[in-house]
Amino acid sequence: MDISLNYGKKSLGISLYKDWEATIIEKQNMPVIDDPKAAIADAFSMGDESGSLEEVAKSKSSACILICDITRPVPNGIILEQLIDRLIKAGIKKECITVLVATGLHRPNKGDELLEIVGSKKVLEMVKVKNHYARKNEDHLTICTSESGLPIKVDRRFVHTDLRIVIGLVEPHFMAGYSGGRKLVIPGVAHHQTICGFHTAKFLEHPAARTCNLKENPFHEFQIEGIRKLSNLFAVNVVIDEKRNLSFVNFGDIEKSHALTIKYLKQYAEVRICQKFSTIITSAGGYPLDKTYYQTVKSMVTAMDILEPGGGYHCCI
């Protein structure tokens, strides 16, 4: 049997022995949106009960937009151009709009990488596009102290703005349950002490801190605790298929947008498996998900629940 795994910017072919009893596990095919730009425009126009993009931007004098770093294949280009144009038309001056790369503790993205993740030269020329630096103490403000006693510090550029918008890619996440939404803020633009404080055994060894689970997930609950201290916080959340085609997009309140996107994704991302396997061959999903070694670890953790005791991985990383 010959199989192909997403690997880097191409794929990796693997030939299995004829006498192997192999099971191919794939998520269901997602429908894709024929006209992504129109779908994004509709999402901004409809919004949720909070209102359209123009309505939530009304009377605001500044805006800060968070985008994922190079490790997430988010279609920022087609989102940011429309988003910024409409914010300007709503009355926010372009010099008062900042796009902030939510690096967390990852390295900054500059030069060609910055253009790649922003996806638009027009955006780079029109507004300020900056990286978040988690280790710069002076860049952060404490917005609250969590129930766990850990101070939650966030980039002051995101705190000191009238309108806050995050652009998130929602997909299964091995600690937070699902990525996107609140994760752009914490850890995306959090201080290094905050990030390190909840990436500890206390949080990560909790049985509820696992893939596709938000219920009683302390990692998720910590993030929610922080974002609820910030007002005027909205999200553009998207779902893409394995070929990076847009399948779903919405705009609205950050928590409600995230929940609605997860509801859509679950029917495609979760696959019921009734047995365990002695050998698992997998990959991290291709570029840019396998761009760094840390990201590739997710491919191993995700499949752990269907690995037999004493079984082995063959991870193409």
Side-chain angles (χ1 to χ4, degrees), residues 137-141 154-161 189:
N137 296 334
E138 65 275 15
D139 284 357
H140 299 79
L141 294 173
V154 174
D155 195 303
R156 64 172 62 246
R157 289 168 289 189
F158 197 63
V159 177
H160 285 166
T161 193
V189 291

Side-chain angles (χ1 to χ4, degrees), residues 173-208:
H173 189 276
F174 70 141
M175 297 180 291
Y178 287 92
S179 63
R182 76 286 187 240
K183 200 169 180 292
L184 273 287
V185 184
I186 305 169
V189 291
H191 186 264
H192 72 97
Q193 291 175 341
T194 299
I195 297 173
C196 293
F198 82 113
H199 283 71
T200 58
K202 176 182 177 181
F203 289 87
L204 304 184
E205 289 184 354
H206 194 286

Side-chain angles (χ1 to χ4, degrees), residues 182-254:
R182 76 286 187 240
K183 200 169 180 292
L184 273 287
V185 184
I186 305 169
V189 291
H191 186 264
H192 72 97
Q193 291 175 341
T194 299
I195 297 173
C196 293
F198 82 113
H199 283 71
T200 58
K202 176 182 177 181
F203 289 87
L204 304 184
E205 289 184 354
H206 194 286
R210 65 180 190 274
T211 306
C212 297
N213 179 66
L214 299 182
K215 186 177 180 181
E216 298 181 354
N217 184 330
F219 198 90
H220 167 70
E221 290 176 349
F222 179 85
Q223 295 168 315
I224 292 296
E225 191 178 355
I227 66 167
R228 286 180 178 172
K229 299 298 180 180
L230 298 168
S231 60
N232 295 315
L233 178 50
F234 301 90
V236 185
N237 278 300
V238 303
V239 174
I240 59 175
D241 71 358
E242 290 188 10
K243 295 182 179 179
R244 315 308 189 229
N245 297 308
L246 187 65
S247 180
F248 181 86
V249 58
N250 71 5
F251 171 76
D253 168 83
I254 188 170

Side-chain angles (χ1 to χ4, degrees), residues 17-84:
Y17 291 116
K18 293 181 180 180
D19 58 344
W20 281 17
E21 183 180 343
T23 300
I24 307 298
I25 300 172
E26 297 178 297
K27 64 184 180 185
Q28 298 183 53
N29 289 330
M30 290 182 183
V32 298
I33 295 172
D34 292 331
D35 190 342
K37 290 184 178 180
I40 292 165
D42 289 344
F44 285 141
S45 295
M46 291 186 298
D48 58 14
E49 59 265 35
S50 302
S52 67
L53 174 60
E54 283 77 10
E55 288 172 321
V56 302
K58 187 178 180 180
S59 302
K60 305 296 190 299
S61 60
S62 62
C64 185
I65 304 163
L66 303 187
I67 62 172
C68 297
D69 72 351
I70 194 63
T71 63
R72 304 291 192 276
V74 189
N76 289 315
I78 58 174
I79 297 173
L80 282 171
E81 287 192 2
Q82 291 194 55
L83 173 55
I84 291 169

Side-chain angles (χ1 to χ4, degrees), residues 1-5 13-24 279-281 314:
M1 179 185 294
D2 293 328
I3 60 174
S4 179
L5 297 174
I14 298 175
S15 295
L16 305 180
Y17 291 116
K18 293 181 180 180
D19 58 344
W20 281 17
E21 183 180 343
T23 300
I24 307 298
T279 303
I280 296 174
I281 302 174
H314 295 271

Side-chain angles (χ1 to χ4, degrees), residues 257-269:
S257 167
H258 194 233
L260 185 61
T261 309
I262 290 172
K263 182 179 180 181
Y264 174 83
L265 176 62
K266 283 174 76 74
Q267 60 188 316
Y268 302 105

